Amino acid sequence: MNSSNPRRLVDEILRRNARNPALAWRLFKHLLSSPSAPPPSPSSIFSLSGALAHARLLPELDHLHHLLLNLPHSAAPHCLTALSLASSTAGILDRALSQLQSLRSHFPSHAPPIRLYNSLLGSSLKANRPDLVEALYKDMLLAGVSPDTYTFNLLMSSLCNSGRLDEARLLFDRMTLKGCQPNEFSFGILIRGYCKAGFSLRAVELLDGMERVGCLPNLVIYNTLISGFCREGRIGEAESLVDRMRKEGLFPNVVTFNARISALCKMGKVLEAYRIFRDMQDDELGLPRPNQITFNLILDGFCNGGMLDEARALVESMKESGFFARLENYNIWLSGLVKNGRLLEARMLLEDMVRKGLGPNLYSYNIVIDGLCKEGMIFGAESVISLMRNNGISPDTVTYSTLLHGYCTKGKASGASRILHEMVSNGCFPNSFTCNILLQSLWKEGRISEAEILLQKMNEKGYGLDIVSCNIVIDGLCENGKLDKAMEIVDGMWQHGNAALGELGNAFLGLVDDGNDSKKCFPDLITYSTLISGLCNAGRLDEAKKKFVEMTGKNIAPDSVIYDTFIHAFCKHGKMSSAFKVLRDMGKKGCKPSTKTYNLLIWGLGSKQQFNEIQNLINEMQEKGIPSDVITYNNLIRSLCDGGMARKAASLLEEMSKNGIMPNIISFSLLIKAFFKTSDFDAAQAIFHGALTTCGQKEVLYSLMCNEFSMNGKLLEAKELLQIAFERGFSIERFPYKHLVEELCKEQRVDDAQSLLISMINKGYLFDPAAFLPVIDALSKKGNKHEADKLSEQMMDMATYHEKSKFVNSYTQHGEMGPRHIKSKQDSSRGSDWRNLLHRDDGSGVAMKVLKRVQKGWGQGSIPSPRPQNVDPFDVWESTG
């Protein structure tokens, strides 16, 4: 080395080879091995170790660590500091901590700089290691290093992330005592922590204190607060903050608007959110333009609100503006279609994604599979699994568990066993969640012996009985009315954990391990919720209250679900004063009542026609910032209708619209029934047309109107609606076609009745053969033998197919995603009474004579009878090895 500054030469060599860490390392070792080589500078060590760390050359990094320990005492601490700092910056936390430990143990008199501690604290925070954050802070104080504002900010972030807000606030208050002044980041961290935990009002107190220490709130802090208030449903407070922002010269950006839109959508006020969305698109208003998140929020809001037509129009708009190009957009739309029963459309969307090369991911397929399974369309779900395999995506545990749950729900034992076997064969082993799905299915069906076998197999496979398993058993007992046994087991769990299941009988003894206290399953909130709900449903309210006291005595804090369970039970039994005591107790215990809580109370008051008290409750909801929803209004409509005030109830529809709440089918159905009850047919018709405009051409609305017209003697109006149902391809199972045909015949309108039958036949409906009998009787009485015989022949054909209707229904539900309208044209006609009608004693016996003549003439033979079907036994572990 001829240079007058050898250290600068080393630094230059390392700098030039920074892009080739391996070569730089070899050169460094060569230079360091020279007896005349000077110690490297901390900056060269930082550069070299940073390059090695980013290239993940970990053995070389460890070797460097060893070499630095042998440097002269004057250079080693500074180089070790540089090494640890570089490792921490590169995210190699374990190495960085080890290097700090070497620095602290070999050179105790050398205090590491605050920069190193802050870097390590930040890396520990990113790694979600609050334990390391606390240990580093303690070591820092032991080393005599004074924290700075950045240190306190990191510590507060860690405490807030762990939910330890009180400790974070205490640290914040101590900053000035330690000579550190909080900055806007300090305030922002604590404000975000409060808002995330649902304490936005406490966060505002911090905002008010910022100016006192010379900190000005920025847009990020305001957006955090506004988002917090919106999530809590405190729209008024959020609006006040927006006004405050403007006064301070800060203008809302797209994040501010997205927070408001998100909150409105979650509250069910999708139309109000959509109005804001449209305003953002108006150039003249000067508002922030909607971004990708805005579009996604509105799309998700439409889907969750059942507004499929609006969602579909938005999707088309997003495609035109380039906002519908990401997988996230497609997954939201997929989920929306599935939630609203558009499963065929969802399947087609999946295939369209594949064609366009957008590549549905595992989550996309699982969305559709879950929807199909919930609808009982298991074969359709399996066809989607075949599609995902063809596109190179393998099912995961969620996929198999969903399918398994679908088979269990349908009682398909052999199918569930096959899926379990396939799951294991494909290397996707069932977990405790999968086993609990099977256990819940068996237990709820009362198949105790098979549940026992499953429990044994779970133990053999290493799946211990967890609290979920125990809760499933307790829920099964409550569902089957065995409340005393359920309480006995819960009592035993406090002493013996899951071994308390032995109380079910000797067969369950030995299936559980009570030797390890750490593995015992003690009752939790779900356990008591299940038991209290069972007792309340059985009317055993005093015992439920005792369990509530026991639960709180065991330091298990009740949640709103348990309080709502009590409120519902008291309202159901007319004990409104007790229900209101529960509401007040919620407030005292710091458990915030929800919209559901108030809806239950409004329902209870409505059953007693206590309208003034209902209005007081609604006022209380508004004062507390608790939003009303469609159920709130439906309870109001129901109580007014029951009180004979249908027109006053109908006026609530306009109020709902003003408040951004969309009336649903129940809202309109209550009003339609109320107006029919008072024979106000014109008002019922007006509500019906309003329902079609708001909810769409729904089958349930047509069937309701048809039934009401039929029951009120408006036969021609009912017939007209039934004809529309035929044209729209609705299922006629819920339509009163049999009653309507019979009543038309009684009114001497045989031609109208016969035309209905012919329309059903021509449209391909499979319906109850009993519908033919009144027409056959009427035609025969009129002497129209030819038409009566023709209908009788058609009736015999229908009877043959009718016995196969269960098979037809099963095929159309489970087939390979067959068209939805095919399913709608099947009428299972549960409890068909056509055989009984054949033998009715009405004084004529005409239909029976006609049928015998037809059977003899056309050789139809005996009328077929349904055959019982065998069910495969459930042995879920048979093929799993």
Side-chain angles (χ1 to χ4, degrees):
M1 294 185 183
N2 297 323
S3 172
S4 58
N5 192 337
R7 291 183 62 175
R8 184 175 295 176
L9 177 63
V10 174
D11 291 346
E12 181 64 21
I13 291 173
L14 292 173
R15 187 185 65 79
R16 289 185 179 183
N17 293 279
R19 295 186 178 180
N20 191 340
L23 177 59
W25 167 243
R26 289 197 296 271
L27 290 171
F28 175 81
K29 283 197 300 179
H30 176 72
L31 291 171
L32 201 63
S33 65
S34 172
S36 60
S41 67
S43 61
S44 63
I45 293 300
F46 183 79
S47 299
L48 176 62
S49 55
L52 294 175
H54 283 290
R56 290 302 187 264
L57 298 174
L58 302 185
E60 290 81 355
L61 201 64
D62 293 339
H63 192 181
L64 176 60
H65 181 190
H66 176 72
L67 290 176
L68 295 181
L69 288 173
N70 296 319
L71 289 176
H73 189 279
S74 59
H78 301 287
C79 289
L80 279 171
T81 297
L83 175 66
S84 182
L85 185 60
S87 298
S88 174
T89 305
I92 307 179
L93 185 58
D94 55 341
R95 256 71 177 188
L97 291 170
S98 174
Q99 293 148 10
L100 173 68
Q101 187 178 10
S102 295
L103 177 63
R104 295 283 285 120
S105 59
H106 287 80
F107 309 98
S109 61
H110 180 87
I114 185 64
R115 181 187 176 197
L116 174 57
Y117 276 111
N118 284 344
S119 177
L120 289 167
L121 286 168
S123 296
S124 300
L125 193 61
K126 288 180 182 177
N128 195 25
R129 293 289 306 275
D131 55 325
L132 288 180
V133 172
E134 291 190 31
L136 283 165
Y137 181 59
K138 290 177 181 178
D139 186 72
M140 183 173 126
L141 297 179
L142 287 173
V145 179
S146 298
D148 60 9
T149 300
Y150 184 61
T151 313
F152 280 108
N153 288 347
L154 290 170
L155 293 171
M156 285 193 297
S157 289
S158 177
L159 291 170
C160 288
N161 290 345
S162 302
R164 298 156 65 182
L165 294 174
D166 291 337
E167 294 175 62
R169 180 57 189 264
L170 188 63
L171 196 64
F172 176 84
D173 293 336
R174 287 179 178 174
M175 285 179 68
T176 52
L177 297 177
K178 297 290 185 180
C180 297
Q181 188 71 19
N183 57 19
E184 66 270 21
F185 296 105
S186 313
F187 282 96
I189 289 165
L190 200 51
I191 285 171
R192 184 176 66 249
Y194 278 135
C195 291
K196 186 178 178 182
F199 301 124
S200 298
L201 286 175
R202 293 177 68 180
V204 170
E205 295 173 6
L206 281 170
L207 179 69
D208 296 335
M210 289 185 71
E211 292 183 2
R212 289 196 294 269
V213 295
C215 287
L216 294 177
N218 54 31
L219 190 59
V220 173
I221 288 177
Y222 270 112
N223 281 342
T224 301
L225 281 163
I226 291 166
S227 297
F229 277 122
C230 286
R231 280 195 301 271
E232 295 172 28
R234 297 176 177 270
I235 303 299
E237 286 91 338
E239 293 287 357
S240 298
L241 280 172
V242 172
D243 292 338
R244 181 171 171 176
M245 281 175 65
R246 294 181 188 276
K247 291 177 182 177
E248 294 182 7
L250 296 172
F251 294 96
N253 61 5
V254 68
V255 176
T256 320
F257 280 85
N258 285 347
R260 176 73 189 277
I261 288 172
S262 176
L264 289 171
C265 288
K266 287 178 181 177
M267 293 164 62
K269 298 182 179 181
V270 184
L271 293 179
E272 188 174 337
Y274 183 62
R275 282 195 289 270
I276 295 173
F277 172 74
R278 284 190 306 179
D279 288 345
M280 293 172 71
Q281 293 176 303
D282 190 337
D283 294 330
E284 296 181 2
L285 295 177
L287 299 178
R289 301 290 294 179
N291 61 8
Q292 182 72 65
I293 295 173
T294 322
F295 278 95
N296 287 345
L297 287 170
I298 294 294
L299 178 59
D300 193 47
F302 279 148
C303 291
N304 290 333
M307 303 166 69
L308 260 291
D309 291 338
E310 291 82 355
R312 188 172 285 104
L314 181 63
V315 167
E316 294 304 317
S317 172
M318 290 173 71
K319 288 179 179 177
E320 291 175 6
S321 55
F323 282 106
F324 201 83
R326 300 181 182 178
L327 184 59
E328 178 188 8
N329 311 132
Y330 278 91
N331 283 343
I332 292 173
W333 185 218
L334 267 177
S335 181
L337 290 170
V338 169
K339 284 177 185 175
N340 289 276
R342 305 298 177 93
L343 298 171
L344 176 59
E345 201 172 338
R347 168 66 186 265
M348 293 170 64
L349 181 61
L350 269 181
E351 294 175 348
D352 186 51
M353 291 169 70
V354 173
R355 283 194 299 270
K356 291 180 178 178
L358 290 169
N361 59 9
L362 183 60
Y363 178 68
S364 314
Y365 287 107
N366 282 344
I367 288 171
V368 180
I369 291 166
D370 181 59
L372 291 166
C373 287
K374 284 179 179 175
E375 288 292 319
M377 303 172 71
I378 309 298
F379 293 157
E382 294 227 42
S383 74
V384 173
I385 291 178
S386 299
L387 178 66
M388 67 188 284
R389 283 201 180 102
N390 291 340
N391 289 295
I393 298 178
S394 300
D396 65 353
T397 302
V398 174
T399 317
Y400 282 116
S401 296
T402 301
L403 197 57
L404 200 66
H405 189 265
Y407 273 112
C408 289
T409 303
K410 297 290 288 183
K412 301 288 185 180
S414 58
S417 179
R418 177 178 58 79
I419 292 301
L420 192 59
H421 173 68
E422 181 183 320
M423 186 176 183
V424 175
S425 299
N426 290 337
C428 191
F429 293 98
N431 52 25
S432 295
F433 174 72
T434 314
C435 294
N436 282 331
I437 288 173
L438 292 166
L439 180 63
Q440 183 177 36
S441 175
L442 292 170
W443 193 255
K444 283 204 168 186
E445 292 176 19
R447 297 156 71 174
I448 308 300
S449 60
E450 291 162 280
E452 175 191 334
I453 295 171
L454 176 60
L455 288 169
Q456 289 174 335
K457 294 293 184 181
M458 285 173 70
N459 263 15
E460 290 173 9
K461 301 286 182 179
Y463 304 126
L465 287 180
D466 56 13
I467 187 60
V468 176
S469 312
C470 295
N471 286 341
I472 286 171
V473 172
I474 291 165
D475 183 55
L477 290 169
C478 292
E479 287 287 329
N480 288 284
K482 298 180 180 179
L483 290 165
D484 293 329
K485 180 61 68 176
M487 286 193 289
E488 187 179 349
I489 290 174
V490 172
D491 292 340
M493 285 174 69
W494 283 114
Q495 289 184 329
H496 308 293
N498 54 16
L501 293 184
E503 297 293 336
L504 291 169
N506 292 332
F508 287 87
L509 292 173
L511 294 181
V512 290
D513 178 18
D514 61 345
N516 188 345
D517 281 348
S518 65
K519 294 183 178 179
K520 283 183 178 178
C521 299
F522 297 114
D524 62 2
L525 181 61
I526 303 299
T527 315
Y528 277 100
S529 293
T530 303
L531 188 57
I532 288 171
S533 178
L535 290 168
C536 287
N537 290 337
R540 297 164 65 170
L541 301 182
D542 290 337
E543 292 170 275
K545 286 188 281 185
K546 288 178 182 178
K547 285 298 168 186
F548 180 83
V549 172
E550 176 186 303
M551 177 185 73
T552 54
K554 297 286 188 180
N555 293 321
I556 300 175
D559 62 358
S560 61
V561 174
I562 289 184
Y563 282 113
D564 287 350
T565 299
F566 275 110
I567 289 174
H568 180 257
F570 285 132
C571 291
K572 182 179 177 182
H573 291 86
K575 299 181 177 181
M576 295 308 302
S577 60
S578 297
F580 276 95
K581 285 179 183 178
V582 175
L583 177 67
R584 305 312 169 204
D585 189 56
M586 288 180 75
K588 293 177 184 177
K589 298 293 174 60
C591 186
K592 184 180 177 182
S594 64
T595 302
K596 180 183 178 182
T597 310
Y598 281 93
N599 285 346
L600 289 169
L601 289 164
I602 291 170
W603 167 73
L605 292 171
S607 63
K608 290 180 170 290
Q609 302 289 293
Q610 294 177 306
F611 299 114
N612 291 333
E613 289 81 357
I614 289 175
Q615 189 58 53
N616 292 336
L617 265 186
I618 292 173
N619 294 338
E620 184 177 316
M621 290 176 70
Q622 293 173 346
E623 290 172 4
K624 292 184 176 181
I626 298 174
S628 302
D629 62 8
V630 68
I631 298 174
T632 314
Y633 279 96
N634 284 349
N635 284 338
L636 281 171
I637 290 171
R638 181 182 284 106
S639 61
L640 289 170
C641 289
D642 290 344
M645 293 180 279
R647 290 200 172 272
K648 186 175 181 180
S651 68
L652 291 175
L653 294 177
E654 184 177 353
E655 183 180 322
M656 292 172 74
S657 179
K658 288 180 180 178
N659 292 333
I661 298 173
M662 180 71 70
N664 61 14
I665 290 175
I666 295 174
S667 317
F668 292 107
S669 298
L670 289 168
L671 291 167
I672 289 170
K673 289 178 181 178
F675 282 124
F676 266 107
K677 190 175 181 180
T678 59
S679 299
D680 194 344
F681 304 123
D682 291 338
Q685 280 274 35
I687 295 294
F688 171 64
H689 290 301
L692 295 180
T693 302
T694 304
C695 303
Q697 303 289 320
K698 301 293 185 182
E699 175 185 314
V700 64
L701 292 171
Y702 280 96
S703 65
L704 171 64
M705 284 295 289
C706 188
N707 272 285
E708 291 295 333
F709 273 132
S710 180
M711 292 301 108
N712 284 273
K714 298 285 185 177
L715 303 182
L716 294 181
E717 290 85 346
K719 181 194 171 191
E720 182 182 351
L721 286 170
L722 192 54
Q723 294 282 10
I724 295 173
F726 299 156
E727 295 302 320
R728 294 190 175 275
F730 292 151
S731 168
I732 59 170
E733 186 175 353
R734 294 184 179 87
F735 284 81
Y737 63 90
K738 290 182 286 186
H739 178 267
L740 185 55
V741 167
E742 191 166 3
E743 290 301 310
L744 285 169
C745 289
K746 286 180 182 178
E747 295 291 329
Q748 305 302 316
R749 294 181 176 275
V750 184
D751 292 342
D752 288 322
Q754 188 176 1
S755 70
L756 278 180
L757 293 179
I758 293 170
S759 294
M760 286 192 285
I761 294 169
N762 291 340
K763 292 292 182 181
Y765 283 98
L766 180 63
F767 56 91
D768 190 345
F772 285 92
L773 297 174
V775 182
I776 294 172
D777 273 351
L779 290 172
S780 299
K781 288 176 183 177
K782 291 175 65 175
N784 197 336
K785 178 177 175 296
H786 176 72
E787 288 296 323
D789 287 352
K790 184 179 178 182
L791 277 183
S792 298
E793 181 181 4
Q794 289 173 317
M795 178 178 172
M796 296 303 299
D797 290 338
M798 186 69 71
T800 301
Y801 287 108
H802 183 268
E803 302 298 350
K804 300 177 182 178
S805 63
K806 288 184 180 179
F807 170 78
V808 175
N809 260 337
S810 175
Y811 177 79
T812 54
Q813 288 182 29
H814 302 148
E816 303 302 313
M817 296 297 293
R820 191 174 178 87
H821 74 273
I822 293 179
K823 177 183 174 183
S824 72
K825 290 187 178 181
Q826 310 305 323
D827 174 20
S828 61
S829 301
R830 290 182 291 243
S832 171
D833 57 349
W834 78 280
R835 297 176 187 277
N836 294 331
L837 287 175
L838 265 178
H839 299 284
R840 65 187 177 180
D841 185 14
D842 61 359
S844 67
V846 177
M848 188 63 182
K849 294 175 183 177
V850 172
L851 281 175
K852 285 183 177 178
R853 183 175 69 247
V854 171
Q855 281 185 309
K856 184 177 179 181
W858 280 277
Q860 296 291 328
S862 60
I863 298 171
S865 300
R867 297 179 180 178
Q869 297 180 346
N870 295 324
V871 180
D872 294 328
F874 202 131
D875 184 7
V876 299
W877 297 95
E878 179 182 8
S879 306
T880 60

